[in-house]
Amino acid sequence: MKKFFRRRTTRTKQRMVDNKDQDFFSHKFPNTSQVVEELKELWSMALPITAMNMLVFVRAVVSVLFLGWLGSLELAGGALSIGFTNITGYSVLVGLASGLEPVCSQAYGSKNWDLLSLSLQRMVLILLFAIMPISLLWLNLENIMLFMGQNIDITRMASVYCFYSLPDLLTNTLLQPLRVFLRSQKVTKPMMYCSLVAVAFHIPLNYVLVVVMGLGVPGVAMASVMTNLNMVVLMAGYVWIWRKKEMMIKWSCGGGGGGVVGFLCGGLGQLLRLAVPSCLMICLEWWWYEIVTVMAGYLPNPTLAVAATGILIQTTSMMYTVPMALAGCVSARVGNELGAGKPYKAKLAAVVALGCAFGLGFINVTWTVLLGRRWAGLFTDDEAVKALVTSVMPIMGLCELGNYPQTTGCGILRGTARPVIGAHINLGSFYIVGTPVAMGLAFWFKVGFSGLWFGLLSAQLACAMSILYVVMARTDWEAEALKAEKLTRVEMGSCNLIRNTEDDEKDEESKRFLVNGNWNKDDIC
């Protein structure tokens, strides 16, 4: 089998040479114009996605502000519910939907429109099944939190917020796959504009529901649900109205029951094999930040530590919007080029993105060191909290120096359909390296609050070095292009089966018509 694959690889490479496709071999050194062109291509996608992520962050901040306006109990309950829904719901849905990235991006690169549409349908189906157990968890938030010893008043308020957020699960089963679907086709500016319009109505929605109608915490939750629903409607409207002709081509396989047959013919298993490790890769990192918040509550001065952690987590969330956008876009770029059979350009996209990630990481180190105290002053007037945040900001900046290339590298792994490797690296880095270091420094060696963030720093460095080693030293880009070709060809099977059957039926009808026509002609003669 290995010999056969080696011969097949050699024949494919030879065919590329014969066709003078210079983008197949990834060992040549790029020139300046190629790097500049790739930078333009990458950031033409990444800037709108970054803006969209910032808008989503602003939406979350607005919700927290309205919760704070309602009172401290409402703020505490809402914060508890937001943390719970992030861990048990949104992180899972975002992670599963990211499994679409390699399939959709490689399908777009290979111009396999049928695979694009079928993958979107399959992912929506997967997420519909996923939200069922998530809904049960959300409905039982009060019992779970009381079992864990949480305050009863805060827990009841959190359960109210969580209950009214339930429709958002259904909204996200469409929103998250649709974002990946469009991003894989380089459609990023329309997503930004749709998010801008939806978030622009978020403040009026909160004001009407919370202040005018007096709905309180349910009003804040309902406003968030309606904002996400607006995003879905606007994005779907864009696809249907402005790109209707293109999308009709891409959805042609789903018409007339083809989508259902496509599901039955297979493909769900292949997508799940990508979606589950992609989900783990994202969730393992996402959950670790929540663990830091929990560990901060066990320090000698928990109120001070948790308050400082809240500010730092909000800061990292804001900074994370850039590498998250960069990761999603480089995943699309790498997948597009591999699907098109151009591993040289895929490698160039990966290297350029990693270079950008390191540059942005150094910028974050600089501003966190120089402006740490001023930044802390934007959140609080408490001098103790301000001093604690200021002391940790440089460590957090160093964490971002590792986080940017690490997140970007995870995007590259998703683009090459290797999320399993990323999941293993994140598991080892955050839970085998980071957690023991954080707990040991914070509690055993009595370093305190800074020890938790040194643990995060060790996790980020271990993760970044591991992923960089895999991407730069252990990736055979030509082999990845062949794997992409195999993936897209195998996935075309369901649609081709449908089309071949239909074509056979049409041919049979044509033959029958000709036979009948000839018979009638002879009969007349």
Side-chain angles (χ1 to χ4, degrees), residues 96-423:
L96 287 173
S98 66
L100 266 181
E101 290 182 8
V103 182
C104 283
S105 60
Q106 292 180 12
Y108 181 77
S110 62
K111 296 180 172 57
N112 186 347
W113 314 129
D114 296 328
L115 176 56
L116 271 168
S117 63
L118 275 176
S119 298
L120 179 62
Q121 296 172 66
R122 289 165 180 165
M123 182 52 67
V124 171
L125 182 65
I126 289 171
L127 295 188
L128 284 173
F129 281 111
I131 65 174
M132 294 178 185
I134 294 172
S135 300
L136 293 177
L137 283 174
W138 287 20
L139 287 171
N140 288 280
L141 178 144
E142 185 172 354
N143 294 330
I144 294 170
M145 291 294 108
L146 290 177
F147 177 78
M148 296 175 65
Q150 289 288 338
N151 179 276
I152 187 170
D153 294 327
I154 295 176
T155 298
R156 284 176 178 171
M157 193 62 66
S159 67
V160 171
Y161 186 96
C162 198
F163 177 79
Y164 283 94
S165 297
L166 277 171
D168 207 27
L169 288 175
L170 193 60
T171 303
N172 273 268
T173 61
L174 298 174
L175 179 61
Q176 301 303 334
L178 196 57
R179 283 175 174 170
V180 177
F181 178 74
L182 292 174
R183 187 175 65 232
S184 299
Q185 301 174 71
K186 305 179 184 179
V187 182
T188 56
K189 286 185 179 179
M191 285 199 291
M192 178 187 68
Y193 294 136
C194 292
S195 300
L196 177 62
V197 173
V199 173
F201 283 99
H202 186 59
I203 296 177
L205 277 173
N206 272 281
Y207 182 79
V208 171
L209 293 173
V210 177
V211 179
V212 177
M213 299 180 65
L215 295 180
V217 170
V220 177
M222 291 165 62
S224 295
V225 173
M226 293 172 69
T227 298
N228 280 343
L229 180 61
N230 289 338
M231 288 185 190
V232 172
V233 171
L234 290 169
M235 288 182 192
Y238 166 78
V239 169
W240 181 251
I241 296 173
W242 280 279
R243 296 174 68 91
K244 184 176 180 179
K245 185 176 180 181
E246 297 175 33
M247 293 301 162
M248 282 179 67
I249 296 172
K250 296 171 187 177
W251 283 87
S252 59
C253 183
V260 176
V261 177
F263 285 133
L264 297 176
C265 289
L268 274 178
Q270 177 70 22
L271 190 56
L272 277 171
R273 282 192 289 272
L274 294 170
V276 172
S278 295
C279 179
L280 289 174
M281 182 166 58
I282 289 175
C283 289
L284 287 171
E285 181 179 1
W286 196 329
W287 294 341
W288 203 88
Y289 285 91
E290 303 295 337
I291 293 173
V292 168
T293 305
V294 173
M295 287 193 290
Y298 291 98
L299 290 171
N301 192 341
T303 303
L304 180 64
V306 171
T309 301
I311 295 173
L312 292 168
I313 292 294
Q314 287 296 319
T315 305
T316 57
S317 298
M318 183 193 69
M319 290 192 291
Y320 190 65
T321 58
V322 180
M324 184 168 63
L326 191 60
C329 293
V330 73
S331 175
R333 288 287 304 126
V334 168
N336 289 163
E337 299 299 348
L338 289 177
K342 298 178 179 179
Y344 166 70
K345 287 192 173 182
K347 181 180 179 180
L348 177 62
V351 172
V352 169
L354 287 172
C356 293
F358 275 108
L360 292 168
F362 277 110
I363 292 173
N364 277 295
V365 172
T366 303
W367 84 261
T368 52
V369 171
L370 298 178
L371 303 175
R373 187 167 184 82
R374 292 184 180 181
W375 180 259
L378 297 176
F379 292 88
T380 182
D381 293 326
D382 190 312
E383 290 299 326
V385 175
K386 195 184 298 185
L388 189 58
V389 171
T390 303
S391 67
V392 175
M393 283 286 284
I395 305 173
M396 189 183 69
L398 290 173
C399 290
E400 293 304 311
L401 183 59
N403 185 37
Y404 270 67
Q406 175 256 327
T407 304
T408 304
C410 285
I412 296 169
L413 291 178
R414 291 198 301 272
T416 56
R418 295 182 295 170
V420 174
I421 297 175

Side-chain angles (χ1 to χ4, degrees), residues 288 295 299 432-456 458:
W288 203 88
M295 287 193 290
L299 290 171
I432 297 177
V433 176
T435 301
V437 171
M439 295 184 69
L441 290 176
F443 301 105
W444 184 263
F445 291 99
K446 307 298 182 182
V447 175
F449 185 67
S450 298
L452 297 178
W453 294 89
F454 277 118
L456 176 60
S458 65

